[in-house]
Amino acid sequence: MEYGPFSHSRKMKLVLISPKGPLYRKRGGIFKRSLRYQPLTLTTLAALTPKDLPIDITLIDEGISEIPADLQADLIGLTVITGTAPRAYELADQFRAKGIPVLLGGPHVTLLPEEAAGHADSLCVGYAEQTWPQLIHDFIAGNLQKIYRQAPDFDLSDTTLPFPERHRFNREDFLTQAVFEATRACAHNCEFCVAPTAWGRKQFQHPVDWIIQDIRQFVERTGKRKLIFVDLNLVSDIGYAKQLFTALIPLKVQWFGLSTVLIAHNYELMELMARSGCKGLLLGLETVTSGSLKDAGKKFNSSVNYKELIGTLHKLGISIQGCFVFGLDHDTVDTFDATVELAIDAGIDLPRFSILTPFPATPLYQRLEQEQRILTKDWSLYDAQHVVFQPKLMTVQELEEGHERAWKKIYQYNNIVRRLWNAKNFQPLAITANLGYRFYAHNLHKFYTCDWPIEHRPSTIDVIKG
Ligand code: B12
Ligand code: SF4
């Protein structure tokens, strides 16, 4: 559909939506509203919207609130990850049928623009810091292009970039508003990871002064000093990480973030991290199976003794959310119990298990497709909790059941106690978080039930026989 120039006789109504994901497919969702943290994507896009134009912006996180049936909008933007793509397309088709132009952006659109194009008036591929203001100007001028692509030389070094407009959401609706991002993308190249495929391996870094100013203003406005960094790998560039951590010290904040286990090789950095206020780290431990790390293109993890690293971080006052993935090519039915044992023995404060997911366009997806092991392209099942490919040394059923069993076992009361005892972590926050995850573990099957009966899914033997 073609759209003419936007009339300036009234304010333009722009609505930005984060569609609900698989976790929320069941009415009410698995988590209470207050257990979700505020999405940074929408507040970032709101901030980037040109301020010289009369635009009224509404943000909707469908994970916590319904989209009004009578939603009025001149333009709607949807952010799309693979698991939410079917829902995003459904919404986009409905809005377009009512004559409202729709824009799609986000990781899934960046991975599969040709597919997304069938559901949108325009696409934003890659990061939108430069393209979004242009897109809005073009729309108002009646000159909307079909696709806006991140320029090859794009980076985040512009010190005049606006800070995310977190205040646009109701603070009470979220566990926290204190969501920050200093860097994007990661220098590594793990076979299953979306980041290198979608955005390349370049280091995208906001200037340290920029992120510090964003945090300072937030602390002054809200009085809150507990922050989350959503950066995929905060220590991807050690020089940058050191500058950032040093600059955080005077702010006296406490923060939680993500890192690779390679931090084990740099005690000075771990110590600086702790002094800067780090209280929790999410570590991609991935697997205990020898051979699987190589399968995942993550051999660098094998240089680290997980138990020692976790012990060191605990001594520095840093709790660990340890993430494991099941279904790599060397994994067998024995992998589940072995992983649970390691998590208990190492005293991982909060273990998380996912099922290996070949997100489209990643090297893993391409390899499995070549090996004819992709079992479904129903993207709503690409949520890291369903088996969508044929595992090598297990059946689909064994992988799905083993994953669920591992969740239940690691969050049995006795195992929570053993882990936290080994971690010497008796803080109320750790206990509450474990009880929350215990609830999740025991309800996993209810919330992730899919319409693909397990008895109809192929087994290893079927697939190998072809
Ligand atoms: C924070 C986060 C979450 C939060 C999200 C909730 C929240 N309230 O924030 C939580 C922890 C709940 C989460 C959960 C999951 N996540 Co997540 N998450 C992230 C993370 C780390 C940061 C996202 C973010 O805020 N970035 C900052 C913003 C500013 O960047 P951005 O979103 O990319 O947006 C920019 C551009 O992409 C573009 N853009 C984005 N959308 C749009 C829309 C329009 C219209 C336009 C114009 C532009 C545009 O403009 C922005 C500015 O440049 C990303 C990794 C990453 N760094 O991107 C993974 C990531 C998005 N998650 C991922 C996954 C897989 C999941 C889970 C399935 C994992 C799981 N095991 O459960 C679940 C599914 C959740 C669901 N909805 O169903 C994958 C998505 C892969 C894919 N192809 O789908 C990512 C990319 C991580 C990865 N490396 O694989 N996640
Ligand atoms: S280290 Fe983490 S963020 Fe980086 S490519 Fe590997 S999985 Fe992705």
Side-chain angles (χ1 to χ4, degrees), residues 396-453:
V396 167
Q397 186 163 356
E398 282 167 341
L399 176 51
E400 202 158 277
E401 289 175 357
H403 166 253
E404 186 169 345
R405 207 172 53 246
W407 267 105
K408 289 202 169 116
K409 195 166 174 190
I410 202 73
Y411 285 101
Q412 281 170 4
Y413 286 122
N414 60 330
N415 286 336
I416 295 179
V417 173
R418 285 172 70 199
R419 274 189 294 103
L420 293 182
W421 177 264
N422 288 343
K424 307 271 175 295
N425 184 351
F426 310 109
Q427 294 174 47
L429 182 62
I431 296 166
T432 316
N434 268 279
L435 294 179
Y437 268 46
R438 182 185 149 81
F439 173 79
Y440 171 81
H442 284 264
N443 288 280
L444 208 57
H445 60 290
K446 278 193 210 158
F447 293 98
Y448 285 108
T449 313
C450 77
D451 305 326
W452 187 26

Side-chain angles (χ1 to χ4, degrees), residues 16 19-24 36-42 44-45 48 61 76-84 103-108 110-111 123-124 126-129 132 135 154 174 179 181 183-185 192-195 199 230-232 258 352 354 359-360 382-385 440 448:
L16 296 170
K20 62 183 164 191
L23 265 185
Y24 301 91
R36 187 172 162 89
Y37 55 84
Q38 192 173 288
L40 195 57
T41 310
L42 302 188
T44 299
L45 288 172
L48 292 168
D61 179 357
I76 293 184
L78 294 156
T79 180
V80 191
I81 66 169
T82 302
T84 63
L103 319 169
L104 296 177
H108 188 73
T110 300
L111 296 171
L123 300 180
C124 189
Y127 296 130
E129 271 68 13
W132 178 246
L135 184 157
F154 168 74
F174 298 94
V179 184
E181 188 194 40
T183 64
R184 279 187 202 153
F192 56 74
C193 185
V194 166
W199 304 293
V230 294
D231 306 44
L232 282 172
L258 288 73
R352 268 195 72 108
S354 348
F359 288 106
Y382 282 59
D383 57 4
Q385 306 297 322
Y440 171 81
Y448 285 108

